[in-house]
Amino acid sequence: DAGLQIDVVAPRPEFVYLPGMIWIPTGLRSGADLTLSLNSFFARQRVNFHAGRVTGVENGGRTVVTDKGKIENDGLIISSGGRFIKKLPGIEHAITPCEGIPAAEKIRDRLASMEDGGTIAFGFSSNPKEPSAMRGGPMFEFLFGIDRWLRKQGRRDRFELVFFTPAEKPGQRLGEKAVKGILSTMAKRDVKTYLGHKIKGFEADRVITEGAEFRADLIIFMPGMTGNKWFAESGLPLSEGGMLKANRYCQVEEQEKVYVAGDSGSYPGPGWMPKQAHMADLQAEAAAANLVGELNGDQPSATFKAELVCIIDSYDTGMMVYRTDKRNLVTPAFSGFHWAKRLFEWHYLREYRK
């Protein structure tokens, strides 16, 4: 719509391709590879960029409050991501890789310093009040990728790799076939597992669960997610897990011209529906279409498909997982899927590199 003005609020005019962070610890990618300036893209798309951090909304979403001032709007899409729950005692001793490039680089540097080997612990948990608010898939990729990388270097025998999670069946959102494949791969790669026990906390060199505790020289852990801190004071409806409550149109419930896409929202759908970049893209498309419709006087009608698509990468190979309400496909590991994932990255980022 030529009559619309688009304003984007973010700390910096840049895009960080988070799916590629799994390759930073093993040197296949650097932070610079995955960080793209959006200045040229915004200029081409005639987008007005506002540098700042959002601290709240007022007037039912019509006013966005930032640390640099207030911005008025006629329609709002919130896509500010989730926030990791950092309440476990000693969690400062664990690295949460999906927090950003600095975290992935810290893993890289810690691995480089472990010349004599050691124990690396990989784990994740969910938000008990919103089980879908979790990041399990990347943890399998960090685990399998680092395992494969160490084997390529001829150093795997110096390391013990351990995987832990409160879930008895890790990866269950991917489907039963995927769970079997993941656990089978862990067994084949000599990964020790601690499954089904609540995590009590961490020490500098130790993981403590209700069922057992074990030492670790490097702890890589992804806690469950909740909503942004400012959500609580926004007046917008929240799910029990702290996310913005959305309907099937990605409209924040009972709000006019306020939408949400991605990890910030809690959406109706099957229990396996993931917090995943692909789902965020589908939700963003629906949110944008419905907001434009509302601004033109129409009722929201665009919905998003519940669809899980991912390649669980292992440094130079990968396993494809696809799930909808009607299908659940899991392929054997194949080097072609690794290259397909790298090709998708190139294709996805091409528009922003112009």
Side-chain angles (χ1 to χ4, degrees), residues 117-319:
T119 300
I120 308 174
F122 302 80
F124 66 82
S125 62
S126 67
N127 181 338
K129 295 182 179 180
E130 190 140 352
S132 67
M134 64 188 298
R135 274 274 189 278
M139 291 309 301
F140 300 131
E141 296 185 289
F142 282 107
L143 167 62
F144 295 144
I146 289 172
D147 169 83
R148 185 76 172 164
W149 175 69
L150 289 172
R151 291 179 189 277
K152 289 277 188 178
Q153 292 188 325
R155 298 199 298 144
R156 178 63 173 87
D157 60 333
R158 303 181 205 170
F159 289 83
E160 180 175 37
L161 303 189
V162 181
F163 179 79
F164 65 99
T165 179
E168 294 183 358
K169 295 182 177 181
Q172 195 161 16
R173 295 183 185 285
L174 303 173
E176 288 293 334
K177 292 181 182 178
V179 172
K180 291 179 181 178
I182 288 166
L183 293 178
S184 172
T185 301
M186 288 183 187
K188 289 176 182 176
R189 298 192 183 191
D190 196 26
V191 176
K192 191 171 184 178
T193 58
Y194 292 89
L195 308 178
H197 298 292
K198 184 178 179 180
I199 301 165
K200 294 178 67 176
F202 307 95
E203 295 177 0
D205 62 351
R206 191 163 300 273
V207 176
I208 305 167
T209 76
E210 288 187 344
E213 60 179 79
F214 56 92
R215 70 174 309 280
D217 301 289
L218 171 59
I219 304 168
I220 304 172
F221 176 68
M222 205 90 76
M225 294 186 296
T226 185
N228 299 171
K229 286 184 177 179
W230 60 265
F231 286 2
E233 306 297 327
S234 68
L236 300 175
L238 302 182
S239 68
E240 190 177 358
M243 309 290 187
L244 297 173
K245 288 186 73 173
N247 59 25
R248 64 195 184 106
Y249 306 112
C250 296
Q251 184 180 40
V252 178
E253 287 188 354
E254 299 177 0
Q255 305 299 305
E256 192 173 320
K257 301 184 184 72
V258 179
Y259 290 83
V260 62
D263 292 352
S264 301
S266 178
Y267 310 88
W272 54 263
M273 193 167 70
K275 294 287 187 187
Q276 183 197 37
H278 176 62
M279 280 302 315
D281 279 345
L282 297 178
Q283 290 156 355
E285 289 178 10
N290 287 325
L291 176 55
V292 171
E294 267 203 283
L295 291 169
N296 288 328
D298 299 324
Q299 291 296 312
S301 60
T303 59
F304 61 91
K305 182 180 182 180
E307 182 178 61
L308 187 155
V309 183
C310 71
I311 292 172
I312 300 177
D313 189 80
S314 301
Y315 183 69
D316 58 2
T317 186
M319 179 176 75

Side-chain angles (χ1 to χ4, degrees), residues 2-65:
L4 292 180
Q5 173 180 303
I6 300 175
D7 296 89
V8 171
V9 183
R12 292 170 297 278
E14 64 183 27
F15 177 68
V16 178
Y17 187 73
L18 294 179
M21 288 200 311
I22 59 168
W23 294 317
I24 289 179
T26 55
L28 288 179
R29 289 289 181 274
S30 68
D33 294 330
L34 304 175
T35 306
L36 283 72
S37 169
L38 292 176
N39 288 322
S40 176
F41 176 79
F42 284 158
R44 292 198 310 274
Q45 301 296 327
R46 302 192 306 278
V47 170
N48 299 312
F49 175 73
H50 301 265
R53 295 183 180 275
V54 175
T55 58
V57 297
E58 298 174 346
N59 307 321
R62 294 288 72 83
T63 303
V64 174
V65 183

